[in-house]
Amino acid sequence: MGIDPASKTVDIKQPLFNRRQLLQAGLLLGAAGGATIGLSQLWRSRGRSATVTIPPLPQEAMHHGSGISPLKILREFDYGTVTQENGRTVREFRVEAQTGELQLNKSTKFITWNLNGRVPGPTFRATEGDRIRVIFYNKAGHSHSLHFHGTHPAAMDGVKPVRNGNVFIYEFDAEPYGVHLYHCHVAPVTRHIGKGLYGMFIIDPPQPRPPADEMVLIMAGYDTNNDNKNELYAFNGLPHAYMHQPIPIQQNQLIRLYVLNLIEFDPVATFHLHANLFRVNPTGRLLEPSYETDVITMGTAERHILEFSFKETGKFMFHPHQDAIAEAGCMGYFDVISGLPS
Amino acid sequence: MKFLKFFGLWIASCGLVVLVACNNQAPSTSTSQNTSAASTAPTEQATHADMGHSKRININAAILSELDKLEAKLGVPALSNKIQASRPYGKVEELVSKNVITQAQFDQIKDMVTIEDIQLTGEAKDVDYMVKLSLMKGHMMVAKELLDLGKPDQAEPHIGHPVEEIYADVEDQLNERNVKAFKNELIALQDRVKAGAKDANKTAEEYKASMQSIDGAIAALPETQHKDHDFVLQVINGLLDTANSEYTSAIADGKVKEAIEYQDSRGFVMYADELYKGIANQIQKEYPDSHKKIIAMMADLLKVWPTAIPPQQSVKTPEEVGTLIKQIETETKKAS
């Protein structure tokens, strides 16, 4: 309301930038045995800790259908098998397109096309400049493919269908750093994505981002009756999963969400966090977040890094503010647990 | 130089299933090209260099009869199936690390295998081509049934699949075999059906044109292949294998949840049956026992898809269908 986003940008970015400079200085001095204390004080003063504490997860992480567990998918990153080939870091990922049933709720069973048995597919993670090699095996009946966002040569663009029973090896350099995604690009793409063939692809900047409790949240829709409309929605594959099992996080700890909107059929979905504001790093292309809000609007395939921490303990909702989408499954809670001093 | 070589091979590789990226940098300086080419291990560079001359077997994509050459060389029973079962391979060395063969055995065959089958050759290439066109036929056959039932909305995906999922994969082979491109025919029909197929005559005309094009592409294969029962059985297995996966994608809780995949698998099995009829006499003469079994099992299999519009309850579970298809494949191998 009348606040100039540009001025907000300056307000928030400046101290962070200073901290980053200090961080770099700290690392240099740290080698000489110096500035570690100053550094951790700095973290603390911003409600952050240099070490990240992940609260214990509920004993029985929710499992449905083909063993999909949103609480596990949340913080699970696939860094691939790393080898050095002629002085370069090569990250090799193996992905198998499969078919499997997923119990979306008590009354709806949905046949997914999935990757490695999970919806969403694995979160691939690399550092800018790594060589990426993805061995894609299609065992899901139809022709499928993997199309990565980011930059790569035309031959690796993943628009060419890979037939059932065949293998294709995608190989390219991880660039640029940021939050990307991948998905099947065989027509009708809405159906291929809607049935589960998608995932996140994170490329970290060469200098890592500050430590945080990092999580992936992918919003997606389910067209359960093939009417080109979504009947159900979900974060990370299962409707209402984080309502039934809130995500435990530490009080006063930096949370870094990698959020992707991959809802087909609905043009946009917002992301809203209760009782807080988050700092936005658009497409993860900045080294620091640039502005602050509590609702961000995302078109299909848009994705950002959102950062925040909670001062108060308790349960706090997050959901798209298209409440019909939220109420049809795209809704969850953070359960803020006391722990870190403010 | 290296880049050009890669590029040229890639161009030549279109029908190709597996491809390893060669270069993602602009061909501005030779040093940068060498750097990125160097991302593959030295042994694999040798593979690149040999490509086009040698007839290496792609362990990720080769059909069983190709893999049999490795089985024969090493004298390991059922090795072909073992190689197939351990796919995919990121490197040929994974034949050892995945415990398919020993290092000593690998040393004997390492010059025969690749994962970069840039060019399928000989029979393997023809089988691959024929399987793709047969999948198109299966889609078109079930589409016709649905059009005849006055269900253009249900026919539409099956008209679409040949052009959306298969055509790109077969395009270069069509060029090589001097088959006239027919993408536009497929798209014209798809557009008409999408628009509701209101003019029945025009729809029938365009359907016929698409079907004739696919048949023309099939006819480009040498007559010897069409008559070779071993060749046709490999195609049938390709169709049944895909039908199996599609059927699995259709059934949940004993019900047909996805009509599209049910219909896909119906089309593939119907065309597999049609292909078998073309070679049945030969098989009956040479392998009467297998023939009897195949005929009986195919009849059993066809019952799974009583109508183009799926029944409420599935006739067989995906597991039962899978078992049946495996049994048919076993018999076809005996007969080849």
mmCIF file of all heavy atoms in Angstrom, chain A residues 85-86 92 94 99 101 109 113 135 142-143 153 160 163 166-169 171 173 191 195 226, chain B residues 14 17-19 21 24 38-39 88 90-91 94 128 132 161 165 169 249 252-253 258 261 264:
data_model
loop_
_atom_site.group_PDB
_atom_site.id
_atom_site.type_symbol
_atom_site.label_atom_id
_atom_site.label_comp_id
_atom_site.label_asym_id
_atom_site.label_seq_id
_atom_site.Cartn_x
_atom_site.Cartn_y
_atom_site.Cartn_z
ATOM 1 N N GLU A 85 36.079 -36.219 -14.125
ATOM 2 C CA GLU A 85 36.504 -36.684 -15.435
ATOM 3 C C GLU A 85 37.315 -35.581 -16.086
ATOM 4 O O GLU A 85 36.800 -34.513 -16.370
ATOM 5 C CB GLU A 85 35.281 -37.055 -16.299
ATOM 6 C CG GLU A 85 34.593 -38.316 -15.817
ATOM 7 C CD GLU A 85 33.399 -38.728 -16.688
ATOM 8 O OE1 GLU A 85 33.262 -38.187 -17.798
ATOM 9 O OE2 GLU A 85 32.631 -39.583 -16.229
ATOM 10 N N ASN A 86 38.567 -35.859 -16.282
ATOM 11 C CA ASN A 86 39.484 -34.872 -16.862
ATOM 12 C C ASN A 86 39.380 -33.513 -16.179
ATOM 13 O O ASN A 86 39.210 -32.484 -16.824
ATOM 14 C CB ASN A 86 39.226 -34.716 -18.361
ATOM 15 C CG ASN A 86 39.488 -36.023 -19.094
ATOM 16 O OD1 ASN A 86 40.207 -36.890 -18.591
ATOM 17 N ND2 ASN A 86 38.927 -36.164 -20.272
ATOM 18 N N GLU A 92 26.235 -37.548 -11.963
ATOM 19 C CA GLU A 92 25.423 -38.464 -12.750
ATOM 20 C C GLU A 92 24.145 -38.819 -11.983
ATOM 21 O O GLU A 92 24.198 -39.230 -10.842
ATOM 22 C CB GLU A 92 26.248 -39.721 -13.007
ATOM 23 C CG GLU A 92 25.604 -40.700 -13.932
ATOM 24 C CD GLU A 92 26.515 -41.893 -14.165
ATOM 25 O OE1 GLU A 92 27.563 -41.728 -14.814
ATOM 26 O OE2 GLU A 92 26.174 -42.980 -13.665
ATOM 27 N N ARG A 94 20.361 -40.885 -12.102
ATOM 28 C CA ARG A 94 19.620 -41.955 -12.762
ATOM 29 C C ARG A 94 18.134 -41.773 -12.505
ATOM 30 O O ARG A 94 17.702 -41.657 -11.368
ATOM 31 C CB ARG A 94 20.067 -43.311 -12.216
ATOM 32 C CG ARG A 94 21.255 -43.817 -12.959
ATOM 33 C CD ARG A 94 21.944 -44.953 -12.240
ATOM 34 N NE ARG A 94 23.270 -45.030 -12.821
ATOM 35 C CZ ARG A 94 23.579 -45.791 -13.853
ATOM 36 N NH1 ARG A 94 22.685 -46.575 -14.393
ATOM 37 N NH2 ARG A 94 24.788 -45.770 -14.351
ATOM 38 N N THR A 99 5.188 -46.230 -13.811
ATOM 39 C CA THR A 99 3.763 -46.038 -13.591
ATOM 40 C C THR A 99 3.441 -46.559 -12.208
ATOM 41 O O THR A 99 3.965 -47.590 -11.814
ATOM 42 C CB THR A 99 2.975 -46.845 -14.637
ATOM 43 O OG1 THR A 99 3.110 -46.200 -15.891
ATOM 44 C CG2 THR A 99 1.510 -46.904 -14.308
ATOM 45 N N GLU A 101 0.368 -46.404 -8.705
ATOM 46 C CA GLU A 101 -0.840 -45.865 -8.091
ATOM 47 C C GLU A 101 -0.469 -44.988 -6.903
ATOM 48 O O GLU A 101 0.457 -45.280 -6.168
ATOM 49 C CB GLU A 101 -1.729 -47.003 -7.579
ATOM 50 C CG GLU A 101 -2.367 -47.812 -8.682
ATOM 51 C CD GLU A 101 -3.167 -48.989 -8.139
ATOM 52 O OE1 GLU A 101 -3.281 -49.123 -6.906
ATOM 53 O OE2 GLU A 101 -3.674 -49.761 -8.956
ATOM 54 N N LYS A 109 -7.901 -42.772 -5.742
ATOM 55 C CA LYS A 109 -6.642 -43.390 -6.139
ATOM 56 C C LYS A 109 -6.317 -42.876 -7.533
ATOM 57 O O LYS A 109 -7.196 -42.822 -8.395
ATOM 58 C CB LYS A 109 -6.797 -44.911 -6.142
ATOM 59 C CG LYS A 109 -5.484 -45.640 -5.946
ATOM 60 C CD LYS A 109 -5.742 -47.137 -5.826
ATOM 61 C CE LYS A 109 -5.000 -47.729 -4.630
ATOM 62 N NZ LYS A 109 -5.190 -49.179 -4.552
ATOM 63 N N TRP A 113 2.272 -41.172 -13.577
ATOM 64 C CA TRP A 113 3.519 -41.457 -14.276
ATOM 65 C C TRP A 113 4.560 -40.751 -13.425
ATOM 66 O O TRP A 113 4.455 -39.533 -13.198
ATOM 67 C CB TRP A 113 3.489 -40.858 -15.684
ATOM 68 C CG TRP A 113 2.474 -41.488 -16.573
ATOM 69 C CD1 TRP A 113 1.994 -42.761 -16.495
ATOM 70 C CD2 TRP A 113 1.800 -40.887 -17.682
ATOM 71 N NE1 TRP A 113 1.077 -42.983 -17.493
ATOM 72 C CE2 TRP A 113 0.948 -41.855 -18.235
ATOM 73 C CE3 TRP A 113 1.854 -39.622 -18.276
ATOM 74 C CZ2 TRP A 113 0.139 -41.595 -19.342
ATOM 75 C CZ3 TRP A 113 1.058 -39.372 -19.371
ATOM 76 C CH2 TRP A 113 0.211 -40.346 -19.908
ATOM 77 N N ILE A 135 20.837 -40.130 -16.798
ATOM 78 C CA ILE A 135 20.524 -41.356 -17.532
ATOM 79 C C ILE A 135 19.044 -41.641 -17.328
ATOM 80 O O ILE A 135 18.603 -42.006 -16.252
ATOM 81 C CB ILE A 135 21.412 -42.515 -17.042
ATOM 82 C CG1 ILE A 135 22.876 -42.133 -17.285
ATOM 83 C CG2 ILE A 135 21.055 -43.813 -17.755
ATOM 84 C CD1 ILE A 135 23.846 -42.875 -16.430
ATOM 85 N N HIS A 142 4.045 -45.005 -22.337
ATOM 86 C CA HIS A 142 4.087 -43.957 -23.361
ATOM 87 C C HIS A 142 5.522 -43.496 -23.614
ATOM 88 O O HIS A 142 6.412 -43.754 -22.817
ATOM 89 C CB HIS A 142 3.330 -42.722 -22.858
ATOM 90 C CG HIS A 142 1.854 -42.816 -22.998
ATOM 91 N ND1 HIS A 142 1.204 -42.534 -24.161
ATOM 92 C CD2 HIS A 142 0.889 -43.152 -22.109
ATOM 93 C CE1 HIS A 142 -0.095 -42.681 -23.985
ATOM 94 N NE2 HIS A 142 -0.312 -43.065 -22.744
ATOM 95 N N SER A 143 5.685 -42.726 -24.688
ATOM 96 C CA SER A 143 6.930 -41.998 -24.863
ATOM 97 C C SER A 143 6.963 -40.862 -23.847
ATOM 98 O O SER A 143 5.951 -40.221 -23.598
ATOM 99 C CB SER A 143 6.990 -41.395 -26.269
ATOM 100 O OG SER A 143 7.110 -42.407 -27.239
ATOM 101 N N PRO A 153 22.488 -27.122 -24.911
ATOM 102 C CA PRO A 153 22.364 -27.178 -26.366
ATOM 103 C C PRO A 153 21.030 -27.774 -26.812
ATOM 104 O O PRO A 153 20.376 -28.494 -26.043
ATOM 105 C CB PRO A 153 23.504 -28.102 -26.802
ATOM 106 C CG PRO A 153 24.177 -28.567 -25.587
ATOM 107 C CD PRO A 153 23.470 -28.081 -24.386
ATOM 108 N N LYS A 160 12.452 -34.270 -27.572
ATOM 109 C CA LYS A 160 12.311 -35.470 -28.389
ATOM 110 C C LYS A 160 11.839 -36.638 -27.512
ATOM 111 O O LYS A 160 12.436 -36.949 -26.488
ATOM 112 C CB LYS A 160 13.661 -35.802 -29.024
ATOM 113 C CG LYS A 160 13.509 -36.833 -30.117
ATOM 114 C CD LYS A 160 14.785 -37.031 -30.886
ATOM 115 C CE LYS A 160 14.651 -38.286 -31.714
ATOM 116 N NZ LYS A 160 15.862 -38.649 -32.401
ATOM 117 N N ARG A 163 11.033 -43.432 -26.340
ATOM 118 C CA ARG A 163 10.000 -44.457 -26.328
ATOM 119 C C ARG A 163 10.106 -45.393 -25.139
ATOM 120 O O ARG A 163 11.171 -45.555 -24.552
ATOM 121 C CB ARG A 163 10.057 -45.277 -27.629
ATOM 122 C CG ARG A 163 9.057 -44.796 -28.686
ATOM 123 C CD ARG A 163 9.085 -45.692 -29.889
ATOM 124 N NE ARG A 163 10.447 -45.896 -30.338
ATOM 125 C CZ ARG A 163 10.945 -47.086 -30.654
ATOM 126 N NH1 ARG A 163 10.224 -48.172 -30.565
ATOM 127 N NH2 ARG A 163 12.190 -47.182 -31.068
ATOM 128 N N ASN A 166 13.278 -47.530 -23.726
ATOM 129 C CA ASN A 166 14.525 -46.964 -24.221
ATOM 130 C C ASN A 166 15.185 -46.040 -23.204
ATOM 131 O O ASN A 166 14.569 -45.601 -22.245
ATOM 132 C CB ASN A 166 14.290 -46.217 -25.527
ATOM 133 C CG ASN A 166 14.085 -47.192 -26.675
ATOM 134 O OD1 ASN A 166 14.702 -48.246 -26.719
ATOM 135 N ND2 ASN A 166 13.187 -46.846 -27.583
ATOM 136 N N VAL A 167 16.459 -45.768 -23.479
ATOM 137 C CA VAL A 167 17.270 -44.950 -22.584
ATOM 138 C C VAL A 167 17.778 -43.742 -23.360
ATOM 139 O O VAL A 167 18.128 -43.867 -24.538
ATOM 140 C CB VAL A 167 18.490 -45.753 -22.086
ATOM 141 C CG1 VAL A 167 19.304 -44.927 -21.099
ATOM 142 C CG2 VAL A 167 18.067 -47.062 -21.450
ATOM 143 N N PHE A 168 17.799 -42.600 -22.705
ATOM 144 C CA PHE A 168 18.442 -41.435 -23.308
ATOM 145 C C PHE A 168 19.338 -40.826 -22.241
ATOM 146 O O PHE A 168 18.969 -40.797 -21.065
ATOM 147 C CB PHE A 168 17.396 -40.407 -23.767
ATOM 148 C CG PHE A 168 17.975 -39.315 -24.637
ATOM 149 C CD1 PHE A 168 17.920 -39.420 -26.014
ATOM 150 C CD2 PHE A 168 18.601 -38.204 -24.078
ATOM 151 C CE1 PHE A 168 18.452 -38.425 -26.836
ATOM 152 C CE2 PHE A 168 19.141 -37.216 -24.887
ATOM 153 C CZ PHE A 168 19.067 -37.324 -26.269
ATOM 154 N N ILE A 169 20.503 -40.382 -22.657
ATOM 155 C CA ILE A 169 21.415 -39.770 -21.693
ATOM 156 C C ILE A 169 21.524 -38.282 -21.999
ATOM 157 O O ILE A 169 22.000 -37.882 -23.050
ATOM 158 C CB ILE A 169 22.791 -40.461 -21.715
ATOM 159 C CG1 ILE A 169 22.623 -41.952 -21.394
ATOM 160 C CG2 ILE A 169 23.723 -39.785 -20.714
ATOM 161 C CD1 ILE A 169 23.897 -42.763 -21.508
ATOM 162 N N GLU A 171 23.145 -34.750 -21.273
ATOM 163 C CA GLU A 171 24.393 -34.269 -20.680
ATOM 164 C C GLU A 171 24.608 -32.813 -21.054
ATOM 165 O O GLU A 171 24.526 -32.430 -22.221
ATOM 166 C CB GLU A 171 25.565 -35.135 -21.159
ATOM 167 C CG GLU A 171 26.840 -34.787 -20.413
ATOM 168 C CD GLU A 171 27.959 -35.787 -20.646
ATOM 169 O OE1 GLU A 171 27.680 -36.972 -20.791
ATOM 170 O OE2 GLU A 171 29.114 -35.333 -20.682
ATOM 171 N N ASP A 173 26.055 -28.695 -19.119
ATOM 172 C CA ASP A 173 26.642 -28.007 -17.975
ATOM 173 C C ASP A 173 25.557 -27.375 -17.117
ATOM 174 O O ASP A 173 24.577 -26.853 -17.648
ATOM 175 C CB ASP A 173 27.614 -26.912 -18.448
ATOM 176 C CG ASP A 173 28.862 -27.507 -19.083
ATOM 177 O OD1 ASP A 173 29.181 -28.671 -18.788
ATOM 178 O OD2 ASP A 173 29.495 -26.813 -19.895
ATOM 179 N N ARG A 191 -1.000 -33.196 -19.526
ATOM 180 C CA ARG A 191 -1.307 -34.525 -18.974
ATOM 181 C C ARG A 191 -0.041 -35.188 -18.426
ATOM 182 O O ARG A 191 -0.065 -35.803 -17.355
ATOM 183 C CB ARG A 191 -1.960 -35.396 -20.060
ATOM 184 C CG ARG A 191 -2.494 -36.710 -19.525
ATOM 185 C CD ARG A 191 -3.547 -37.328 -20.451
ATOM 186 N NE ARG A 191 -4.248 -38.414 -19.774
ATOM 187 C CZ ARG A 191 -3.990 -39.711 -20.008
ATOM 188 N NH1 ARG A 191 -3.081 -40.065 -20.885
ATOM 189 N NH2 ARG A 191 -4.642 -40.646 -19.349
ATOM 190 N N LYS A 195 0.266 -35.896 -14.472
ATOM 191 C CA LYS A 195 0.326 -37.251 -13.917
ATOM 192 C C LYS A 195 1.622 -37.500 -13.128
ATOM 193 O O LYS A 195 1.836 -38.604 -12.639
ATOM 194 C CB LYS A 195 0.140 -38.285 -15.021
ATOM 195 C CG LYS A 195 -1.350 -38.394 -15.445
ATOM 196 C CD LYS A 195 -1.582 -39.330 -16.591
ATOM 197 C CE LYS A 195 -1.755 -40.776 -16.212
ATOM 198 N NZ LYS A 195 -2.887 -41.046 -15.312
ATOM 199 N N ASN A 226 -9.817 -36.521 -15.903
ATOM 200 C CA ASN A 226 -9.482 -36.144 -17.282
ATOM 201 C C ASN A 226 -10.460 -35.141 -17.896
ATOM 202 O O ASN A 226 -10.816 -35.248 -19.062
ATOM 203 C CB ASN A 226 -9.413 -37.399 -18.173
ATOM 204 C CG ASN A 226 -8.221 -38.269 -17.815
ATOM 205 O OD1 ASN A 226 -7.106 -37.770 -17.672
ATOM 206 N ND2 ASN A 226 -8.455 -39.563 -17.655
ATOM 207 N N CYS B 14 19.774 -39.772 -36.094
ATOM 208 C CA CYS B 14 18.460 -39.409 -35.656
ATOM 209 C C CYS B 14 17.584 -40.497 -35.084
ATOM 210 O O CYS B 14 16.900 -40.275 -34.107
ATOM 211 C CB CYS B 14 17.757 -38.806 -36.789
ATOM 212 S SG CYS B 14 18.657 -37.372 -37.215
ATOM 213 N N VAL B 17 18.457 -43.876 -30.081
ATOM 214 C CA VAL B 17 17.807 -43.938 -28.803
ATOM 215 C C VAL B 17 18.659 -43.322 -27.733
ATOM 216 O O VAL B 17 18.218 -42.537 -26.910
ATOM 217 C CB VAL B 17 17.561 -45.394 -28.460
ATOM 218 C CG1 VAL B 17 16.481 -45.462 -27.450
ATOM 219 C CG2 VAL B 17 17.221 -46.172 -29.674
ATOM 220 N N VAL B 18 19.915 -43.647 -27.773
ATOM 221 C CA VAL B 18 20.779 -43.140 -26.737
ATOM 222 C C VAL B 18 21.769 -42.204 -27.346
ATOM 223 O O VAL B 18 22.314 -42.458 -28.393
ATOM 224 C CB VAL B 18 21.560 -44.277 -26.094
ATOM 225 C CG1 VAL B 18 22.651 -43.728 -25.233
ATOM 226 C CG2 VAL B 18 20.630 -45.110 -25.277
ATOM 227 N N LEU B 19 21.963 -41.125 -26.682
ATOM 228 C CA LEU B 19 22.893 -40.177 -27.254
ATOM 229 C C LEU B 19 23.571 -39.485 -26.099
ATOM 230 O O LEU B 19 22.939 -39.106 -25.137
ATOM 231 C CB LEU B 19 22.081 -39.220 -28.087
ATOM 232 C CG LEU B 19 22.840 -38.139 -28.794
ATOM 233 C CD1 LEU B 19 22.203 -37.920 -30.139
ATOM 234 C CD2 LEU B 19 22.832 -36.874 -28.028
ATOM 235 N N ALA B 21 25.662 -36.318 -24.900
ATOM 236 C CA ALA B 21 25.917 -34.967 -25.377
ATOM 237 C C ALA B 21 27.368 -34.855 -25.745
ATOM 238 O O ALA B 21 28.236 -35.366 -25.063
ATOM 239 C CB ALA B 21 25.667 -34.002 -24.254
ATOM 240 N N ASN B 24 28.360 -28.658 -25.546
ATOM 241 C CA ASN B 24 27.319 -27.663 -25.413
ATOM 242 C C ASN B 24 27.903 -26.271 -25.506
ATOM 243 O O ASN B 24 27.350 -25.318 -25.032
ATOM 244 C CB ASN B 24 26.554 -27.834 -24.111
ATOM 245 C CG ASN B 24 27.384 -27.420 -22.942
ATOM 246 O OD1 ASN B 24 28.592 -27.334 -23.053
ATOM 247 N ND2 ASN B 24 26.735 -27.144 -21.831
ATOM 248 N N ALA B 38 36.336 -33.426 -23.590
ATOM 249 C CA ALA B 38 37.138 -34.184 -22.637
ATOM 250 C C ALA B 38 36.327 -34.660 -21.452
ATOM 251 O O ALA B 38 36.824 -35.369 -20.611
ATOM 252 C CB ALA B 38 38.295 -33.328 -22.138
ATOM 253 N N SER B 39 35.078 -34.261 -21.391
ATOM 254 C CA SER B 39 34.280 -34.700 -20.259
ATOM 255 C C SER B 39 33.971 -36.195 -20.336
ATOM 256 O O SER B 39 33.565 -36.786 -19.361
ATOM 257 C CB SER B 39 32.978 -33.907 -20.189
ATOM 258 O OG SER B 39 32.159 -34.279 -21.272
ATOM 259 N N PRO B 88 19.246 -49.232 -16.983
ATOM 260 C CA PRO B 88 20.131 -48.646 -17.978
ATOM 261 C C PRO B 88 21.590 -48.653 -17.559
ATOM 262 O O PRO B 88 21.901 -48.772 -16.372
ATOM 263 C CB PRO B 88 19.638 -47.197 -18.029
ATOM 264 C CG PRO B 88 19.187 -46.915 -16.640
ATOM 265 C CD PRO B 88 18.652 -48.211 -16.094
ATOM 266 N N GLY B 90 25.029 -46.341 -17.649
ATOM 267 C CA GLY B 90 25.591 -45.015 -17.893
ATOM 268 C C GLY B 90 26.929 -45.112 -18.596
ATOM 269 O O GLY B 90 27.379 -44.178 -19.257
ATOM 270 N N LYS B 91 27.608 -46.222 -18.401
ATOM 271 C CA LYS B 91 28.886 -46.514 -19.046
ATOM 272 C C LYS B 91 28.915 -48.012 -19.358
ATOM 273 O O LYS B 91 28.260 -48.781 -18.655
ATOM 274 C CB LYS B 91 30.070 -46.245 -18.092
ATOM 275 C CG LYS B 91 30.160 -44.870 -17.525
ATOM 276 C CD LYS B 91 31.379 -44.793 -16.594
ATOM 277 C CE LYS B 91 31.529 -43.419 -15.969
ATOM 278 N NZ LYS B 91 30.462 -43.100 -14.979
ATOM 279 N N GLU B 94 29.680 -50.517 -16.610
ATOM 280 C CA GLU B 94 28.667 -50.917 -15.627
ATOM 281 C C GLU B 94 28.205 -52.362 -15.813
ATOM 282 O O GLU B 94 27.568 -52.920 -14.927
ATOM 283 C CB GLU B 94 27.475 -49.962 -15.668
ATOM 284 C CG GLU B 94 27.800 -48.641 -15.015
ATOM 285 C CD GLU B 94 26.642 -47.651 -15.020
ATOM 286 O OE1 GLU B 94 25.520 -48.048 -15.327
ATOM 287 O OE2 GLU B 94 26.915 -46.477 -14.722
ATOM 288 N N ASP B 128 13.579 -51.728 -35.096
ATOM 289 C CA ASP B 128 13.267 -50.479 -34.411
ATOM 290 C C ASP B 128 12.273 -49.640 -35.227
ATOM 291 O O ASP B 128 11.278 -49.132 -34.711
ATOM 292 C CB ASP B 128 14.581 -49.714 -34.203
ATOM 293 C CG ASP B 128 14.365 -48.374 -33.546
ATOM 294 O OD1 ASP B 128 14.023 -48.383 -32.346
ATOM 295 O OD2 ASP B 128 14.521 -47.340 -34.218
ATOM 296 N N LYS B 132 8.175 -48.830 -34.289
ATOM 297 C CA LYS B 132 7.613 -47.480 -34.207
ATOM 298 C C LYS B 132 6.367 -47.356 -35.086
ATOM 299 O O LYS B 132 5.336 -46.829 -34.668
ATOM 300 C CB LYS B 132 8.648 -46.448 -34.654
ATOM 301 C CG LYS B 132 9.793 -46.262 -33.675
ATOM 302 C CD LYS B 132 10.916 -45.465 -34.311
ATOM 303 C CE LYS B 132 12.129 -45.433 -33.394
ATOM 304 N NZ LYS B 132 13.333 -44.994 -34.082
ATOM 305 N N HIS B 161 -1.269 -39.404 -30.666
ATOM 306 C CA HIS B 161 -0.038 -40.082 -30.240
ATOM 307 C C HIS B 161 0.954 -40.374 -31.362
ATOM 308 O O HIS B 161 2.155 -40.179 -31.169
ATOM 309 C CB HIS B 161 -0.379 -41.365 -29.477
ATOM 310 C CG HIS B 161 -0.898 -41.090 -28.098
ATOM 311 N ND1 HIS B 161 -1.603 -42.009 -27.360
ATOM 312 C CD2 HIS B 161 -0.820 -39.992 -27.333
ATOM 313 C CE1 HIS B 161 -1.931 -41.485 -26.196
ATOM 314 N NE2 HIS B 161 -1.474 -40.257 -26.152
ATOM 315 N N GLU B 165 4.094 -38.538 -30.113
ATOM 316 C CA GLU B 165 5.026 -39.382 -29.360
ATOM 317 C C GLU B 165 5.983 -40.172 -30.242
ATOM 318 O O GLU B 165 7.010 -40.634 -29.771
ATOM 319 C CB GLU B 165 4.236 -40.393 -28.510
ATOM 320 C CG GLU B 165 3.379 -39.754 -27.449
ATOM 321 C CD GLU B 165 2.786 -40.791 -26.503
ATOM 322 O OE1 GLU B 165 2.866 -41.984 -26.799
ATOM 323 O OE2 GLU B 165 2.243 -40.380 -25.469
ATOM 324 N N ASP B 169 10.610 -39.511 -33.687
ATOM 325 C CA ASP B 169 11.559 -40.591 -33.477
ATOM 326 C C ASP B 169 11.826 -41.370 -34.774
ATOM 327 O O ASP B 169 12.828 -42.061 -34.907
ATOM 328 C CB ASP B 169 10.943 -41.520 -32.424
ATOM 329 C CG ASP B 169 11.971 -42.217 -31.593
ATOM 330 O OD1 ASP B 169 13.125 -41.761 -31.599
ATOM 331 O OD2 ASP B 169 11.625 -43.220 -30.953
ATOM 332 N N SER B 249 -0.738 -48.762 -16.727
ATOM 333 C CA SER B 249 -1.079 -47.353 -16.497
ATOM 334 C C SER B 249 -2.572 -47.106 -16.530
ATOM 335 O O SER B 249 -3.016 -45.984 -16.348
ATOM 336 C CB SER B 249 -0.473 -46.460 -17.580
ATOM 337 O OG SER B 249 0.874 -46.697 -17.738
ATOM 338 N N ALA B 252 -6.457 -49.280 -11.863
ATOM 339 C CA ALA B 252 -6.255 -49.090 -10.422
ATOM 340 C C ALA B 252 -7.442 -49.715 -9.711
ATOM 341 O O ALA B 252 -8.580 -49.569 -10.170
ATOM 342 C CB ALA B 252 -6.157 -47.612 -10.079
ATOM 343 N N ASP B 253 -7.166 -50.397 -8.615
ATOM 344 C CA ASP B 253 -8.246 -51.018 -7.831
ATOM 345 C C ASP B 253 -9.119 -51.949 -8.651
ATOM 346 O O ASP B 253 -10.330 -52.014 -8.437
ATOM 347 C CB ASP B 253 -9.161 -49.914 -7.245
ATOM 348 C CG ASP B 253 -8.555 -49.306 -5.997
ATOM 349 O OD1 ASP B 253 -7.678 -49.956 -5.398
ATOM 350 O OD2 ASP B 253 -8.959 -48.193 -5.635
ATOM 351 N N GLU B 258 -8.107 -45.253 -16.523
ATOM 352 C CA GLU B 258 -7.638 -44.392 -17.606
ATOM 353 C C GLU B 258 -7.984 -45.041 -18.945
ATOM 354 O O GLU B 258 -7.317 -45.979 -19.384
ATOM 355 C CB GLU B 258 -6.120 -44.173 -17.504
ATOM 356 C CG GLU B 258 -5.676 -43.481 -16.231
ATOM 357 C CD GLU B 258 -5.998 -41.991 -16.192
ATOM 358 O OE1 GLU B 258 -6.629 -41.476 -17.153
ATOM 359 O OE2 GLU B 258 -5.616 -41.341 -15.196
ATOM 360 N N GLU B 261 -5.091 -45.181 -21.835
ATOM 361 C CA GLU B 261 -4.061 -46.212 -21.803
ATOM 362 C C GLU B 261 -4.654 -47.610 -22.038
ATOM 363 O O GLU B 261 -4.000 -48.475 -22.614
ATOM 364 C CB GLU B 261 -3.294 -46.164 -20.480
ATOM 365 C CG GLU B 261 -2.268 -45.037 -20.420
ATOM 366 C CD GLU B 261 -2.865 -43.653 -20.369
ATOM 367 O OE1 GLU B 261 -3.841 -43.457 -19.627
ATOM 368 O OE2 GLU B 261 -2.376 -42.749 -21.084
ATOM 369 N N ASP B 264 -4.915 -47.605 -25.787
ATOM 370 C CA ASP B 264 -3.593 -47.763 -26.394
ATOM 371 C C ASP B 264 -3.197 -49.233 -26.422
ATOM 372 O O ASP B 264 -2.808 -49.774 -27.446
ATOM 373 C CB ASP B 264 -2.523 -47.010 -25.565
ATOM 374 C CG ASP B 264 -2.517 -45.520 -25.839
ATOM 375 O OD1 ASP B 264 -3.017 -45.103 -26.898
ATOM 376 O OD2 ASP B 264 -2.002 -44.774 -24.981
#
